[in-house]
C-alpha cells in the first residue's frame, strides 16, 4: 500500500500539469471558435448571416418566429451556454479548480466530486484514450470509423456545437435520469425531480447501483447505434467507439451530474473542432488535413498521456480504497 501511495504522489505533479494544460486549451477554444465563425471564410458560400432555417439540417424546424434567426445567432447562443457551464465548472460545486488540484499535487489524490473541471478534464482525457484504443483495435480488423460527408464546414461546426447539449439532455438526462429517478427516488416533487435529473448521485439514495449501471450500458449502446443508423450516419466503426463514449458519458452523468457530461461531450466536439477549423483556415487546408497538423497531433498526444495517467490514478485509488477497507475490517 505504501508503494502505491508513492506512485500516486509521483504522478500527482504531472497529472496536475496535464489537467491544467487541457484546461488552458479548452479556455482558449472559446475565442478561437468565435474567430472561426465570424472572421473566416469557413462557410465558403454562406456565412454567419445566413438564415438558420434555410440550412438543410434545420429546414424542418421553421418555427415561424417574428424575427430572423441566423447561424451566428444560434452559434452565439450555444457558445454563451457553454461558456456559462464552463465557468460553473471552474468554481464548483464545492471548491475551485486550483484549490482542488492542491491535494493532487501533494498526494495524487482528489476529492472526486469537489470540482467539476478536475473531473471534466480527467474524464475527457480518459474518453479520448478509450476512443483511440477502440478505433485502433477496429482498424486492426479492417473496420474503419469514417464520419458522414460534410456539405458545408460552417454548418458542420454548428451541428457539432449543438450536439453535446441536445444529446446529453436526450440520452443522459431523459433516458438515464428519468428511469434512475423512478428506481431510487424516495419522494416526489417537481423540485426534487429536476434536482435529481441535474445530479442523480447527489440527490438520490442510490443504495445499489447495479441497476443504474445496466441502464447506463444499455443507453450507451443505443447512443452508439444512433450514430450509425440515424440522419447521415457514420461508418459501422463508429458504433463501438460511440457506445464506449456513451457508457463513459452515462457514468459521468450518473456520478457527477449533467454539467460534467455536457462539458466533456463539448470537449470532444466544439473544443477539438474549433482548433481543427482554426488550423484549417489559417493554413488554407481542408479540415481533414487539419487533423493531421502538428498542433492537433500534439494535442492528441497530451490527451492520450493524460488519459493514461488519469486511468492509472483511478485504478490505484480504487485498489487503495479496497485495501484500506479490508484493513479496517
Amino acid at each position: 500500500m505504501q508503494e502505491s501511495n508513492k506512485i500516486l504522489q509521483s504522478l500527482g505533479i504531472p497529472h496536475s500539469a496535464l489537467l491544467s494544460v487541457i484546461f488552458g486549451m479548452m479556455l482558449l477554444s472559446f475565442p478561437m471558435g468565435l474567430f472561426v465563425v465570424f472572421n473566416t471564410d469557413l462557410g465558403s458560400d454562406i456565412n454567419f448571416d445566413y438564415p438558420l432555417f434555410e440550412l438543410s439540417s434545420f429546414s424542418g424546424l421553421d418555427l415561424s418566429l417574428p424575427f430572423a434567426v441566423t447561424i451566428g445567432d444560434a452559434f452565439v447562443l450555444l457558445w454563451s451556454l457553454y461558456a456559462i457551464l464552463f465557468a460553473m465548472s471552474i468554481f464548483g460545486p464545492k471548491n475551485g479548480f486550483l484549490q482542488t488540484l492542491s491535494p493532487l499535487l501533494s498526494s495524487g489524490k482528489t476529492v472526486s466530486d469537489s470540482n467539476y473541471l478536475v473531473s471534466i478534464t480527467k474524464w475527457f482525457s480518459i474518453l479520448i484514450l478509450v476512443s483511440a484504443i477502440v478505433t485502433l483495435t477496429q482498424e486492426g480488423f479492417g473496420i474503419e470509423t469514417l464520419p458522414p460527408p460534410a456539405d458545408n464546414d460552417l454548418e458542420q461546426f454548428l451541428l457539432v456545437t449543438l450536439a453535446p447539449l441536445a444529446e446529453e439532455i436526450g440520452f443522459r438526462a431523459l433516458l438515464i435520469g428519468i428511469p434512475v429517478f423512478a428506481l431510487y427516488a424516495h419522494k416526489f416533487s417537481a423540485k426534487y425531480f429536476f434536482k435529481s435529473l441535474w445530479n442523480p448521485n447527489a440527490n438520490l439514495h442510490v443504495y445499489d447501483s447495479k441497476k443504474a449501471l445496466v441502464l447506463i450500458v444499455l443507453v450507451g449502446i443505443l447512443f452508439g447505434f444512433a450514430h450509425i443508423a440515424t440522419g447521415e450516419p457514420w461508418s459501422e466503426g463508429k458504433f463501438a467507439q460511440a457506445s464506449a463514449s456513451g457508457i463513459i458519458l452515462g457514468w459521468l452523468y450518473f456520478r457527477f451530474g449533467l454539467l460534467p457530461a455536457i462539458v466533456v461531450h463539448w470537449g470532444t466536439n466544439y473544443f477539438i473542432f474549433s482548433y481543427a477549423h482554426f488550423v484549417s483556415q489559417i493554413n488554407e487546408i481542408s479540415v481533414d488535413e487539419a487533423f493531421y497538423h502538428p498542433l492537433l497531433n500534439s494535442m492528441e498526444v497530451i490527451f492520450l498521456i493524460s488519459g493514461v495517467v488519469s486511468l492509472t490514478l483511478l485504478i490505484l485509488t480504487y485498489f487503495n480504497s479496497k485495501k484500506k477497507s479490508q484493513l479496517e475490517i
Side-chain angles (χ1 to χ4, degrees):
M1 189 168 179
Q2 289 181 345
E3 186 175 343
S4 60
N5 282 333
K6 289 180 180 178
I7 297 174
L8 285 172
Q9 291 173 356
S10 65
L11 291 175
I13 293 176
H15 190 220
S16 300
L18 288 165
L19 297 187
S20 298
V21 169
I22 294 173
F23 160 63
M25 289 191 292
M26 284 182 166
L27 193 62
L28 188 59
S29 73
F30 281 100
M32 195 174 289
L34 287 176
F35 174 81
V36 164
V37 170
F38 293 100
N39 292 281
T40 70
D41 191 28
L42 181 63
S44 298
D45 55 333
I46 64 173
N47 63 14
F48 58 87
D49 278 328
Y50 192 81
L52 179 68
F53 297 117
E54 289 187 17
L55 293 174
S56 58
S57 303
F58 299 93
S59 58
L61 298 175
D62 193 345
L63 304 177
S64 300
L65 298 173
F67 51 87
V69 180
T70 66
I71 292 175
D73 295 330
F75 182 81
V76 168
L77 176 61
L78 292 170
W79 185 94
S80 301
L81 289 172
Y82 290 125
I84 291 169
L85 293 175
F86 194 79
M88 290 171 63
S89 72
I90 295 174
F91 300 106
K94 297 177 182 177
N95 297 318
F97 178 69
L98 295 177
Q99 184 181 358
T100 305
L101 283 183
S102 297
L104 184 60
L105 281 166
S106 59
S107 64
K109 301 176 183 178
T110 60
V111 179
S112 58
D113 58 353
S114 179
N115 178 258
Y116 285 132
L117 193 58
V118 171
S119 299
I120 287 165
T121 49
K122 178 172 64 179
W123 281 98
F124 166 77
S125 60
I126 291 173
L127 191 152
I128 295 294
L129 174 65
V130 171
S131 296
I133 292 171
V134 171
T135 300
L136 288 173
T137 302
Q138 290 190 127
E139 287 178 352
F141 291 95
I143 303 172
E144 293 185 316
T145 305
L146 300 174
D151 295 329
N152 184 279
D153 287 340
L154 180 58
E155 182 177 3
Q156 181 203 45
F157 190 36
L158 179 63
L159 290 174
V160 299
T161 302
L162 171 64
L165 202 61
E167 292 177 358
E168 291 312 305
I169 291 174
F171 283 94
R172 256 56 74 176
L174 298 183
L175 294 185
I176 294 177
I178 293 176
V180 163
F181 180 82
L183 287 170
Y184 299 109
H186 64 282
K187 62 179 181 178
F188 181 81
S189 69
K191 181 180 179 181
Y192 181 59
F193 173 71
F194 286 109
K195 284 179 67 177
S196 298
L197 288 189
W198 177 252
N199 192 334
N201 191 64
N203 293 286
L204 296 171
H205 296 287
V206 182
Y207 47 86
D208 181 7
S209 60
K210 290 180 181 178
K211 293 179 181 178
L213 291 175
V214 171
L215 179 64
I216 288 167
V217 171
L218 291 176
V219 173
I221 293 172
L222 178 63
F223 182 69
F225 181 73
H227 279 76
I228 64 168
T230 59
E232 294 187 4
W234 287 66
S235 65
E236 67 276 6
K238 185 66 175 178
F239 172 71
Q241 187 268 333
S243 295
S245 298
I247 292 169
I248 291 173
L249 289 168
W251 164 251
L252 196 62
Y253 165 67
F254 175 71
R255 180 65 181 83
F256 300 105
L258 186 59
L259 188 153
I262 290 175
V263 178
V264 168
H265 198 157
W266 166 89
T268 64
N269 283 33
Y270 169 90
F271 167 45
I272 292 175
F273 271 86
S274 65
Y275 277 86
H277 284 302
F278 181 80
V279 169
S280 169
Q281 293 298 308
I282 293 298
N283 294 280
E284 298 182 350
I285 58 177
S286 69
V287 179
D288 291 337
E289 291 175 309
F291 277 102
Y292 295 96
H293 188 274
L295 175 61
L296 273 295
N297 288 336
S298 299
M299 290 172 62
E300 185 176 14
V301 170
I302 291 171
F303 300 155
L304 293 175
I305 294 173
S306 178
V308 171
V309 175
S310 296
L311 196 57
T312 302
L313 286 171
L314 278 177
I315 293 170
L316 288 174
T317 302
Y318 173 78
F319 282 109
N320 269 6
S321 64
K322 286 288 185 182
K323 289 179 181 178
K324 185 177 179 181
S325 62
Q326 288 174 356
L327 289 173
E328 289 175 352
I329 292 171

